[in-house]
């Protein structure tokens, strides 16, 4: 990468020359150092080292000078926005209320940072505050390889730590990590690799909020922790209420860390979910994001769910409208990857199938994946299929399709008495007397 050697300090220049293979850099003047470096850059082989003597480098390998060796030039673009602008006085600061900014007296050391760990190359990684790389240096903290190895950090880890701001390089450099996925960093040891967590039949039933539809779900097609569930809703008017009840069941009743993913859905619907479901993290397209940034954020969040399972946590992922997500992602692939429509749809659909198959159930943590309004091609691969009809059964408030909703291997999930009762209910099911059948079944 290109470096401005003329502006480098003599100690940094000597260390850079030493890394490049220049022998005895402390005996050379600045102009000689630059000439030797340029010769090596242009293809000349470094001279073999004649002995192991020599003045030790002034810097340690983890000091900020290492940034000159590993960071690309202009990693963070300059811009004219007021974001993070230093403001000279409290009077001016008040005028910029709500803007991310700092005073001229702000500390440059031990700055708290948080975000998602993303490998950049073998030399360093970035902790991205927004879940995707931005042009603002203070939203992307650099983590050098030594610190990453110390804590065995992985792509998708949610990191909290402290950093120093290196002003002359316009870089936030991580100095220590305090939390990984909300766990004390020193306690995150010997976590199992996600790929080594084998899928197994999920049998622990999730507790759902009590109403007639969800009571019937528990008896006919129970949702289990660590399962793959499809939640298809034909009645658009009732969709939001049904999803709110589902999300609250996951996050409050079952204490699962729940992520809702949405794109191209009604802003009012998603807004009402954000107001009603305070414990649910909602990943939606904001006005400050490009669609490409949004999808990067989504997949970063999903990677974080995998890392949290490695840390023995209980998580659920819910797609508010799977068909809309597939369509939006396919359109983005057409624009960004130059794919034709047919290929883009296949890639997008396969990506969602791969996410669906991330579900895992273990004795220490689980990952439940729920697709709302998924294509029919996903049903075969689901553990649980729940269908809500456009209209309820006659004289009832039951929208659940009692004949077509199911849970695979249900005999492993409910006891023998419940299983016998379910079989009898399905055999005797008739729409003409459905109200009486439901009442007796729920007794």
């Amino acid at each position: 990468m290109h470096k401005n050697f003329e502006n480098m300090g003599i100690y940094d220049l000597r260390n850079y020359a030493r890394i490049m293979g220049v022998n005895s850099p402390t005996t050379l003047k600045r102009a000689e150092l630059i000439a030797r470096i340029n010769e090596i850059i242009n293809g000349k082989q470094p001279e073999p080292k004649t002995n192991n003597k020599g003045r030790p480098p002034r810097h340690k390998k983890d000091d900020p000078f290492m940034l000159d060796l590993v960071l690309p030039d202009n990693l963070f673009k300059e811009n004219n926005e007021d974001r993070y602008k230093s403001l000279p006085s409290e009077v001016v600061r008040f005028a910029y209320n709500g803007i991310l900014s700092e005073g001229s007296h702000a500390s440059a050391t031990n700055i708290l940072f948080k975000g998602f760990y993303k490998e950049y190359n073998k030399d360093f990684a970035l902790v991205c505050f927004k879940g995707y790389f931005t042009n603002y240096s203070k939203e992307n903290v650099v983590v050098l390889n030594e610190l990453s190895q110390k804590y065995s950090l992985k792509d998708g880890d949610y990191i909290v730590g402290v950093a120093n701001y290196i002003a002359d390089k316009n870089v936030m450099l991580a100095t220590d990590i305090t939390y990984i996925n909300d766990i004390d960093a020193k306690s995150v040891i010997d976590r199992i690799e996600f790929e080594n967590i084998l899928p197994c039949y999920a049998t622990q039933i999730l507790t759902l909020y009590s109403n007639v539809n969800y009571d019937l779900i528990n008896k006919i097609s129970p949702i289990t922790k660590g399962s793959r569930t499809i939640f298809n809703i034909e009645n658009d008017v009732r969709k939001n209420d049904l999803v709110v009840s589902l999300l609250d069941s996951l996050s409050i009743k079952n204490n699962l860390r729940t992520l809702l993913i949405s794109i191209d859905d009604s802003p009012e619907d998603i807004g009402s979910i954000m107001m009603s479901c305070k414990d649910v993290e909602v990943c939606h397209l904001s006005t400050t994001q490009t669609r490409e940034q949004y999808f990067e954020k989504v997949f970063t969040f999903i990677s974080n769910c995998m890392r949290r399972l490695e840390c023995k946590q209980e998580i659920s992922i819910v797609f508010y409208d799977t068909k809309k997500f597939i369509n939006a992602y396919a359109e983005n692939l057409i624009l960004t990857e130059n794919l034709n429509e047919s290929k883009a749809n296949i890639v997008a659909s396969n990506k969602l199938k791969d996410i669906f198959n991330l579900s895992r159930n273990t004795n220490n943590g689980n990952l439940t994946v729920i697709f709302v309004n998924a294509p029919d091609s996903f049903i075969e691969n689901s553990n649980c299929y729940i269908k809500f009809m456009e209209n309820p059964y006659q004289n009832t408030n039951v929208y659940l399709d009692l004949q077509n909703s199911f849970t695979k291997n249900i005999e492993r999930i409910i006891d023998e008495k419940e299983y016998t009762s379910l079989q009898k209910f399905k055999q005797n099911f008739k729409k003409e007397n459905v109200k009486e059948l439901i009442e007796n079944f729920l007794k």
Side-chain angles (χ1 to χ4, degrees):
M1 70 186 71
H2 172 72
K3 293 290 177 188
N4 188 346
F5 302 122
E6 295 293 342
N7 292 332
M8 289 178 70
I10 186 62
Y11 296 106
D12 287 350
L13 187 60
R14 286 172 179 167
N15 281 309
Y16 189 79
R18 185 177 286 107
I19 294 294
M20 293 294 292
V22 176
N23 288 335
S24 303
T26 55
T27 65
L28 303 176
K29 295 181 180 179
R30 173 182 288 275
E32 293 173 312
L33 284 170
I34 294 174
R36 296 284 184 87
I37 291 171
N38 283 328
E39 286 177 352
I40 293 172
I41 290 175
N42 291 325
K44 182 178 179 180
Q45 290 294 320
E47 296 178 5
K49 192 173 182 180
T50 57
N51 58 60
N52 291 324
K53 295 181 180 180
R55 184 176 177 178
R58 174 166 173 156
H59 294 290
K60 296 179 181 179
K61 64 179 180 179
D62 58 348
D63 280 347
F65 94 96
M66 278 294 292
L67 296 174
D68 272 334
L69 307 182
V70 302
L71 287 188
D73 293 326
N74 300 319
L75 180 62
F76 303 106
K77 297 178 182 178
E78 296 295 328
N79 63 85
N80 296 320
E81 295 189 28
D82 290 316
R83 190 182 298 247
Y84 301 114
K85 183 178 180 180
S86 294
L87 303 178
S89 69
E90 293 297 328
V91 176
V92 177
R93 186 191 305 279
F94 180 77
Y96 283 83
N97 185 30
I99 293 177
L100 295 173
S101 57
E102 58 191 25
S104 57
H105 63 282
S107 173
T109 60
N110 294 326
I111 303 168
L112 180 69
F113 73 88
K114 57 185 177 180
F116 296 90
Y117 181 86
K118 297 173 73 69
E119 293 180 359
Y120 194 92
N121 61 30
K122 65 181 180 64
D123 295 312
F124 73 96
L126 295 173
V127 175
C128 301
F129 174 69
K130 290 189 172 181
Y132 54 87
F133 179 80
T134 70
N135 290 327
Y136 306 113
S137 63
K138 294 188 179 181
E139 290 180 339
N140 307 275
V141 177
V142 175
V143 183
L144 294 176
N145 189 47
E146 184 176 358
L147 189 61
S148 296
Q149 291 182 346
K150 177 181 177 181
Y151 290 102
S152 301
L153 301 178
K154 300 180 182 180
D155 256 0
D157 279 335
Y158 184 74
I159 304 299
V160 178
V162 289
N164 293 341
Y165 179 59
I166 314 301
D168 61 332
K169 298 178 176 64
N170 189 29
V171 163
M172 291 277 285
L173 177 63
T175 57
D176 201 10
I177 306 299
T178 53
Y179 291 95
I180 302 173
N181 301 322
D182 300 321
I183 301 173
D184 189 312
K186 295 177 182 178
S187 302
V188 182
I189 54 175
D190 299 328
R191 58 174 171 172
I192 190 170
E193 291 282 345
F194 183 86
E195 292 303 322
N196 293 333
I197 303 175
L198 297 178
C200 62
Y201 290 112
T203 58
Q204 186 178 354
I205 297 177
L206 289 167
T207 303
L208 302 181
Y209 269 98
S210 182
N211 64 51
V212 64
N213 286 283
Y214 283 94
D215 290 342
L216 285 166
I217 287 175
N218 277 336
K219 295 178 77 66
I220 291 176
S221 51
I223 306 173
T224 52
K225 289 184 178 181
S227 65
R228 294 179 304 279
T229 295
I230 290 179
F231 216 76
N232 282 354
I233 306 170
E234 294 181 349
N235 189 313
D236 289 337
V237 175
R238 293 189 56 83
K239 177 183 176 181
N240 198 251
D241 290 339
L242 290 167
V243 173
V244 166
S245 295
L246 172 66
L247 293 172
D248 277 342
S249 295
L250 297 171
S251 61
I252 298 176
K253 287 282 189 180
N254 298 277
N255 199 31
L256 303 184
R257 186 182 181 94
T258 301
L259 169 67
L260 177 70
I261 297 172
S262 163
I263 188 169
D264 293 341
D265 298 307
S266 163
E268 292 80 10
D269 285 348
I270 302 306
S272 67
I273 288 175
M274 295 171 72
M275 290 293 293
S276 302
C277 306
K278 300 293 186 182
D279 293 338
V280 175
E281 186 168 16
V282 180
C283 183
H284 64 106
L285 180 65
S286 73
T287 56
T288 60
Q289 292 173 322
T290 66
R291 290 192 168 231
E292 192 171 3
Q293 288 172 331
Y294 164 78
F295 287 113
E296 182 180 350
K297 179 179 179 179
V298 167
F299 301 136
T300 297
F301 275 38
I302 290 173
S303 293
N304 179 246
C305 291
M306 297 164 61
R307 301 305 169 217
R308 288 182 181 276
L309 180 60
E310 293 178 345
C311 294
K312 302 177 182 179
Q313 299 180 21
E314 295 189 325
I315 317 103
S316 62
I317 302 172
V318 180
F319 280 77
Y320 187 76
D321 195 305
T322 312
K323 291 178 182 177
K324 286 183 180 178
F325 187 93
I326 292 173
N327 291 338
Y329 185 46
E331 290 171 356
N332 186 69
L333 289 171
I334 292 171
L335 296 176
T336 60
E337 303 294 333
N338 198 29
L339 302 181
N340 60 46
E341 183 177 357
S342 177
K343 188 172 182 179
N345 286 329
I346 293 172
V347 172
S349 181
N350 286 343
K351 181 69 173 180
L352 267 291
K353 288 178 181 177
D354 293 342
I355 293 172
F356 203 35
N357 287 330
L358 293 177
S359 66
R360 294 289 190 279
N361 174 53
T362 74
N363 294 328
N364 297 301
N366 47 74
L367 173 56
T368 305
V369 184
I370 300 177
F371 281 0
V372 180
N373 288 359
D376 291 343
S377 58
F378 284 69
I379 296 175
E380 183 179 357
N381 202 37
S382 65
N383 300 114
C384 177
Y385 175 65
I386 296 169
K387 179 182 177 182
F388 289 95
M389 303 178 294
E390 175 71 27
N391 300 304
Y393 290 107
Q394 188 176 6
N395 300 321
T396 74
N397 194 33
V398 175
Y399 288 81
L400 179 67
D401 189 332
L402 302 173
Q403 293 174 291
N404 294 307
S405 299
F406 64 85
T407 295
K408 291 179 181 177
N409 302 299
I410 193 169
E411 65 276 8
R412 302 187 184 191
I413 299 170
I414 60 179
D415 61 35
E416 185 177 351
K417 182 179 179 180
E418 291 172 323
Y419 182 70
T420 302
S421 176
L422 174 60
Q423 294 297 100
K424 183 178 179 181
F425 173 76
K426 287 189 171 182
Q427 290 170 1
N428 296 331
F429 184 84
K430 294 180 181 179
K431 292 185 179 180
E432 292 77 14
N433 60 340
V434 65
K435 183 178 180 181
E436 182 182 353
L437 284 171
I438 291 173
E439 290 174 350
N440 291 332
F441 185 55
L442 291 176
K443 286 181 180 180

